[in-house]
Amino acid sequence: MIRAIVLGDGQHAHILGKLAEDWYPIDVLMYRTDNTFVYLPIGVTHFINGVGGVADNRPRKEAWGAAIQFGLQPYSITHPLASDESWQHGLGLIAMNHACIGPGVMLGNNVLINTGAI
C-alpha cells in the first residue's frame, strides 16, 4: 500500500483525500496547509497536490516544488467518472469527475483538470 499526504486543506484537497481512500490502494495520512514539512509520518513516499489554482497557480506550483525537494513522489488521481480515452499524462495528474479529456491529448506534470472541464 502506498502512503501519501495531500497538500492543501481546502475543499479540493479534502475531496482528493476521500477519492484516494475510496478508489486507490493508498493510505492518506494527513493534509498540509503550507509548503513546509515540519513533521512527516514514517513511510510516507508520495503526495497528492490538492492545492487549487483559481486565477493564480503559483501556490500550487510552490507546493509541488516543496514536496519534490523533500523527496516525495507525485501521485496521480483520475476520478472514476472522468473520461479515460487514449490520452497521455505526466506525473501528478488530477482529473476530477466528469472531466473530459479527448483522445490523443498529451498533458504535462502537475496538471489539474477540474470537475466538468472539457
Side-chain angles (χ1 to χ4, degrees):
M1 175 162 305
I2 292 173
R3 299 187 90 193
I5 60 169
V6 177
L7 306 178
D9 196 25
Q11 180 182 12
H12 184 70
H14 287 277
I15 290 169
L16 288 174
K18 185 67 176 145
L19 276 175
E21 290 169 345
D22 288 349
W23 295 97
Y24 294 89
I26 189 167
D27 180 17
V28 178
L29 298 175
M30 60 189 287
Y31 298 95
R32 290 296 304 176
T33 57
D34 58 27
N35 298 338
T36 61
F37 299 95
V38 177
Y39 167 73
L40 193 62
I42 294 172
V44 171
T45 56
H46 290 74
F47 72 95
I48 300 165
N49 196 353
V51 177
V54 178
D56 183 4
N57 284 318
R58 285 178 292 182
R60 182 173 172 79
K61 184 177 178 180
E62 289 169 2
W64 172 276
I68 295 292
Q69 279 188 330
F70 201 79
L72 298 175
Q73 297 296 313
Y75 193 85
S76 295
I77 290 185
T78 301
H79 191 285
L81 296 178
S83 122
D84 60 356
E85 305 266 343
S86 59
W87 42 274
Q88 297 177 344
H89 64 85
L91 302 173
L93 170 72
I94 304 298
M96 299 302 288
N97 59 322
H98 300 291
C100 182
I101 303 137
V105 170
M106 297 181 70
L107 303 168
N109 295 333
N110 194 25
V111 172
L112 165 62
I113 303 173
N114 222 333
T115 303
I118 298 173

